[in-house]
Amino acid sequence: MKDSPQAHAHGALVLDVMRHAKAERPRPGLADRDRELRRRGRRAAAEVGRFLARVGPPPELVLASSAPRARQTAEIVREAAGSDAPLELADELYLAPVRVYLRALAGVGGAPGHVLLVGHQPDLALLVRELCGTEPAFPTAALARLRLDVERWTALGRGTGRLEWLVTPDVLAGLGAP
Amino acid sequence: MGVSLYILRHAEALPLGPGAAEHAGGDHARVLAPDGRRAARLVGRFLARLGEPPERVLVSSAARARETAELARDAGGWSAPNEPSDALYGATPEKVLDVLRSLEGRPSRVLVVAHQPTLGLLIRAFTGGEPELAPATLAHVELRAEGWRDVGPGGRGERAGRLAWLFDPTLLGARPRGT
């Protein structure tokens, strides 16, 4: 794979899909887009980051909606996972249809083999459903790992992925600390 | 409201030895490998720590499924007894659906311990997609039906349920896994 920076071995692309963690409640004068993480959300994001580090190699790139609750989730996960992967923020991933997510993934730079995507509901459940058929319930800070049967991010489409696992903060609490 | 279905694939079993097919039992009698026994206990503890103990446990009558269910129950400490059933061995997803539909007593959480490819196809029937299902993988499907009698596969565009989570607890074990 090293000598072929554009393409990865068959089925080697991995996409982690994560919903932002728990954010502050909507209130007058605060635009939905500007809501930030609550303390509980920050804790959950850090827990997911530590889980990611335990379960295998960390993502090579983190792509997140630029809305504060998604950006903060991505930053905390990345740090807790001990990852130095570049973080790309995308304005268009706030309240985006599936095709916008697919386009954003197709445009990632550096041909990463493993991307962590941080975004919003209901968009992400629809993206997972498009890629691997399964409709997940997707509470805040849920994380799904998809193995993709394509060699390039530009080839993502309906049915090209398979769900490997899906965890939530409750599940991580059940798994316990290392 | 809905009901909760927990789906557990039996843990890693020993292969049939040479000539074992001629022995009484054959595939049905295969027992768990030592790693599989550990994994089954891990799954039981995990389910108990989640605070979601099953109220009914339906188990394939094959030895590896029964052993998985027994070890999980011992480790998890829930009270529901294992209910072995020949109908869950080598079953089609439709057969499992029949078994679920005929459940009495309105349990809200049911655990099925059985085999591949049955369980992957069952998850597909409910959620629209077939996930990976390594041995000892545990999944929680939230079904929209009001009771088990009404459980069925989804129609076109309409899913019968959503996948709440799916995980193989041995992924976090110290032992690196083979492919």
Side-chain angles (χ1 to χ4, degrees), chain A residues 1 8-15 112-114 147-151 153:
Chain A
M1 276 193 296
H8 291 268
H10 182 72
L13 292 188
V14 175
L15 176 64
H114 180 178
R147 200 159 288 274
L148 304 164
D149 296 326
V150 295
E151 298 173 21
W153 294 100

Side-chain angles (χ1 to χ4, degrees), chain A residues 52-102:
Chain A
L52 257 187
R54 283 169 73 195
V55 86
E60 293 152 38
L61 181 108
V62 182
L63 174 64
S65 150
S66 61
R69 59 189 183 277
R71 174 177 51 78
Q72 290 164 356
T73 300
E75 287 167 351
I76 294 169
V77 168
R78 189 168 154 274
E79 194 189 330
S83 158
D84 55 5
L87 171 60
E88 285 184 16
L89 298 175
D91 292 340
E92 71 271 21
L93 293 185
Y94 172 67
L95 304 185
V98 167
R99 63 185 160 75
V100 172
Y101 274 91
L102 292 177

